[in-house]
Amino acid sequence: MTDFKSLRAELLSEIEAVKDLDGLERLRVASLGKKGKITEGMKALGKLDPEERRAQGAALNALKEEATQAIAARTRFFKDLALNARLLEERFDMTLPSRPEREGRIHPISQTMDELLQIFGAMGFAVAEGPDVEDDFHNFAALNIPPEHPARQMHDTFYFPPDAKGERKVLRTHTSPVQIRTMQTTKPPIRIIAPGRTYRRDSDITHTPMFHQIEGLLIDRKTHMGHLKGCLIDFCRAFFELDDVPLRFRPSFFPFTEPSAEVDIGCERRKGEIRVGGGADWLEILGCGMVHPKVLANCGIDPDIYQGFAFGLGVERVAMLKYGIPDLRTFFEADLRWMHHYGFLPLDVPRSAQGGAL
Ligand code: DAH
């Protein structure tokens, strides 16, 4: 017959005395394993008469439970011990000065995006987002670009193979679909910007297959072209940190705005650099206009009550102008020397992003 008292005392003191996880595992096998003491005790129950078997069975089960828990607690203890030792060993002093040769840089696109969000944020625009893989409705149809419309050709679209329903998804060709998604789900007044990646099958000195845009959308009851102009002029002054940015509003066409315009910034190209102001060149930075009544109606907004303006800004374009980067393709070549030259130190904050720029 098993002597429970001494078996229990022996087992618990062994668990307490064990020195590491390996020892604990050996002990677990020796007590609870197939040939362990407790398991042997269980097997021996069969030889007892029913009454004794019941009593001993219950006691053995209780002991098994107690031993299992004691082993689990001890396991946690050793694991904590190991983790604490590791944390102590891997500690490093974050206040040590950095090594200049190892310093990382912030990519000019990330930097420019942060500045844009900061400026439009200060003007009361909230950030909205949409997917890079879009459907035809959001990228085209709802924006008043029906199938066969010639404007589709301007977009050099990347198409996905047709799905089970024969529908072809696209890589969004602009951030304008986020206008649609926002208007479908938000009641006016609306004031959002939508930053993100956009894609077109196009690659030369002034085009890359992936680039970035920031879309702006404002919908209210008495919005007019003057609001649009004022907003964009204020933005350009804050972003380029110049009170007299040379700016040109040129009539244009987009199916989703009426009237439509494009905005160019006066700039100078000299000695492989491009700079705002000074020269006789103009660089187009954005398209804009008053949201077409059909687009409002497509999103369930009554064009007799609401009007709005929208714009789509090329992020690479404004980054090139502000930071004098002459070639668009270099942005995505992942050349470390280029990053060292044009990139930003993590703690450098440009004036336009320090607040108070507006
Ligand atoms: N989506 C246009 C493009 O990528 C740019 C644009 C033009 C956006 C006018 C707008 C707009 O919101 O109103 O070429």
Side-chain angles (χ1 to χ4, degrees):
M1 198 178 117
T2 318
D3 174 359
F4 286 113
K5 266 209 178 130
S6 58
L7 178 57
R8 179 173 176 275
E10 187 188 330
L11 209 64
L12 293 182
S13 75
E14 276 175 351
I15 293 173
E16 207 46 49
V18 105
K19 295 242 157 38
D20 54 25
L21 279 173
D22 285 346
L24 202 57
E25 177 59 13
R26 278 196 296 278
L27 198 59
R28 189 190 65 78
V29 174
S31 52
L32 302 166
K34 262 192 195 152
K35 293 200 173 130
K37 283 182 199 153
I38 294 182
T39 321
E40 293 290 328
M42 293 276 193
K43 284 183 195 156
L45 288 178
K47 299 193 192 96
L48 304 176
D49 60 59
E51 203 139 306
E52 224 174 324
R53 186 187 311 153
R54 203 171 309 128
Q56 288 226 14
L60 263 174
N61 266 329
L63 180 57
K64 184 177 171 186
E65 181 60 30
E66 194 177 4
T68 309
Q69 289 200 5
I71 290 174
R74 218 44 199 145
T75 307
R76 271 196 304 279
F77 169 79
F78 284 125
K79 286 197 168 154
D80 280 354
L81 212 61
L83 181 64
N84 285 338
R86 202 174 137 203
L87 285 174
L88 213 59
E89 192 182 312
E90 292 178 4
R91 216 174 109 110
F92 73 100
D93 184 353
M94 294 213 299
T95 63
L96 283 174
S98 66
R99 293 199 206 156
E101 74 279 9
R102 288 208 190 161
E103 256 165 30
R105 291 285 192 278
I106 308 253
H107 195 283
I109 291 295
S110 307
Q111 176 82 13
T112 305
M113 277 291 195
D114 286 350
E115 294 172 29
L116 295 170
L117 297 191
Q118 164 73 34
I119 294 170
F120 284 115
M123 288 179 173
F125 285 83
V127 173
E129 284 183 308
D132 287 19
V133 176
E134 259 302 358
D135 52 39
D136 190 278
F137 176 76
H138 292 93
N139 197 79
F140 294 121
L143 287 160
N144 199 27
I145 317 178
E148 316 304 332
H149 191 287
R152 288 205 180 196
Q153 269 169 19
M154 286 167 23
H155 283 245
D156 302 305
T157 313
F158 284 112
Y159 284 95
F160 283 85
D163 62 16
K165 281 184 266 159
E167 214 183 285
R168 301 187 77 179
K169 288 262 170 56
V170 301
L171 281 178
R172 67 176 176 193
T173 56
H174 48 183
T175 40
S176 304
V178 187
Q179 285 189 34
I180 303 298
R181 291 184 176 274
T182 306
M183 286 191 279
Q184 283 177 323
T185 52
T186 319
K187 269 197 164 161
I190 294 172
R191 201 189 304 192
I192 57 115
I193 45 169
R197 294 171 194 256
T198 50
Y199 308 83
R200 294 190 196 174
R201 291 169 65 131
D202 211 349
S203 184
D204 58 38
I205 318 179
T206 53
H207 298 92
T208 49
M210 187 280 299
F211 55 103
H212 298 78
Q213 289 189 338
I214 275 203
E215 192 81 10
L217 175 72
L218 186 146
I219 308 280
D220 212 333
R221 283 175 193 261
K222 290 198 169 70
T223 316
H224 56 68
M225 197 82 181
H227 295 131
L228 169 62
K229 274 189 88 169
C231 169
L232 292 177
I233 292 170
D234 277 353
F235 156 72
C236 286
R237 287 184 180 155
F239 179 76
F240 292 110
E241 297 169 24
L242 275 179
D243 280 340
D244 54 350
V245 191
L247 207 80
R248 179 165 86 175
F249 278 79
R250 197 165 28 77
S252 185
F253 172 79
F254 299 102
F256 34 92
T257 44
E258 181 58 37
S260 307
E262 280 173 312
V263 171
D264 304 329
I265 298 275
C267 59
E268 181 181 29
R269 288 175 194 272
R270 201 156 45 106
K271 288 194 229 135
E273 280 235 326
I274 180 166
R275 283 285 165 202
V276 176
D281 272 352
W282 294 93
L283 187 73
E284 179 202 320
I285 60 161
L286 63 88
C288 61
M290 301 305 295
V291 180
H292 198 295
K294 275 196 189 167
V295 175
L296 294 172
N298 286 343
C299 301
I301 293 179
D302 185 348
D304 291 332
I305 301 178
Y306 292 103
Q307 313 81 43
F309 66 72
F311 57 86
L313 176 106
V315 177
E316 283 78 5
R317 297 278 177 96
V318 293
M320 286 167 80
L321 276 174
K322 182 163 179 178
Y323 296 114
I325 306 172
D327 187 342
L328 174 64
R329 287 173 299 188
T330 55
F331 275 94
F332 308 116
E333 280 171 356
D335 180 340
L336 279 180
R337 287 165 309 167
W338 184 89
M339 272 297 276
H340 243 255
H341 186 77
Y342 289 113
F344 294 83
L345 289 173
L347 297 177
D348 265 0
V349 180
R351 257 198 304 142
S352 61
Q354 284 173 8
L358 291 172

